[in-house]
Amino acid sequence: QVQLQESGPGLVKPSETLSLTCTVSGGSMSNNYWSWIRQPPGKGLEWIGYVYHSGASYYNPSLESRVSISVDTSKNQFSLNLRSVTAADTAVYFCARGGWSLGPWGRGTLVTVSS
Amino acid sequence: EIVLTQSPGTLSLSPGERATLSCRASQSVSSNYIAWYQQKPGQAPRLLISDASSRAPGIADRFSGSGSGTDFTLTISRLEPEDFAVYYCQQYGSSLPNIFGQGTKLEIK
């Protein structure tokens, strides 16, 4: 059974880069899309983007200028970088399998943007 | 870009009752590419339904999805105590980006 786990700093300073990694266990990353989604405290879900096992990626246009998602299949990991963060980027960040319907999901990690 | 509007915002029902949650799209959803998710407090969302009506593996058959075009429905036939949560619909497919509705909170009456 595939499981996902997010990891990375819980606190990032404004204008810096938010970097998170999702580790996939219990299955192969091959022939799958892998997504990042975020949820500001008390609010709804926002899809950030996905990466294919080949490295091809697609991003939400609302974040495209600041985001990149990469994959390292040798480590069974994919990563999120979000540049020039502000307080509006404070959220729980989830990783999930899939580029369209999404499942399973990681438990999520709270990232706070604050000086 | 498609906008998804879920209604009602909050639904108050009792265990054993039937729940009907609505998701309306601002334009027709290609191939009925609508998913439904359940999220409990402090947890990640869980996929319930994909392609508007296909239950995900391990999902109880009291959950069903229906609809086409712009109007989609998630029905829970008989509410169990563990079903009280927030439910999100999501549009996906060729009309990227993936878009979520704002959610419906299903609470115990």
Side-chain angles (χ1 to χ4, degrees):
Chain A
Q1 183 175 352
V2 173
Q3 294 184 311
L4 297 91
Q5 178 67 58
E6 304 86 353
S7 60
L11 181 64
V12 180
K13 289 182 169 56
S15 79
E16 296 189 344
T17 297
L18 180 160
S19 296
L20 295 175
T21 295
C22 182
T23 301
V24 179
S25 60
S28 171
M29 295 192 73
S30 296
N31 300 317
N32 272 303
Y33 292 86
W34 304 91
S35 284
W36 286 97
I37 308 97
R38 69 180 182 178
Q39 185 173 38
K43 296 187 178 180
L45 300 164
E46 180 181 32
W47 179 75
I48 299 170
Y50 67 58
V51 64
Y52 192 49
H53 73 101
S54 64
S57 57
Y58 184 90
Y59 308 127
N60 191 325
S62 67
L63 297 168
E64 187 171 19
S65 64
R66 299 193 292 130
V67 70
S68 62
I69 300 175
S70 59
V71 63
D72 186 342
T73 55
S74 68
K75 294 182 179 179
N76 260 29
Q77 293 178 336
F78 62 107
S79 298
L80 168 70
N81 282 323
L82 183 64
R83 298 176 290 276
S84 304
V85 297
T86 69
D89 295 310
T90 293
V92 175
Y93 285 76
F94 297 99
C95 58
R97 181 179 63 182
W100 287 6
S101 62
L102 304 167
W105 296 50
R107 293 184 176 182
T109 186
L110 174 63
V111 179
T112 301
V113 178
S114 175
S115 56
Chain B
E1 184 173 294
I2 291 178
V3 175
L4 299 179
T5 302
Q6 293 188 240
S7 61
T10 301
L11 183 59
S12 299
L13 294 170
S14 301
E17 290 193 295
R18 180 185 186 91
T20 303
L21 287 66
S22 173
C23 177
R24 177 163 290 179
S26 58
Q27 56 189 279
S28 185
V29 177
S30 64
S31 302
N32 297 329
Y33 283 149
I34 287 287
W36 288 92
Y37 300 86
Q38 176 194 68
Q39 187 178 32
K40 298 179 181 180
Q43 296 185 17
R46 177 175 66 146
L47 177 66
L48 301 175
I49 301 286
S50 61
D51 299 346
S53 61
S54 297
R55 262 191 308 276
I59 300 302
D61 60 7
R62 64 181 181 274
F63 292 93
S64 63
S66 62
S68 64
T70 60
D71 291 304
F72 299 88
T73 301
L74 174 70
T75 301
I76 311 173
S77 58
R78 287 182 312 279
L79 286 166
E80 297 287 342
E82 62 268 26
D83 297 336
F84 292 90
V86 178
Y87 291 83
Y88 293 95
C89 62
Q90 177 217 349
Q91 173 270 323
Y92 55 92
S94 58
S95 301
L96 287 171
N98 296 320
I99 298 293
F100 291 94
Q102 84 280 17
T104 290
K105 181 179 181 180
L106 177 57
E107 65 177 22
I108 299 177
K109 188 174 182 180

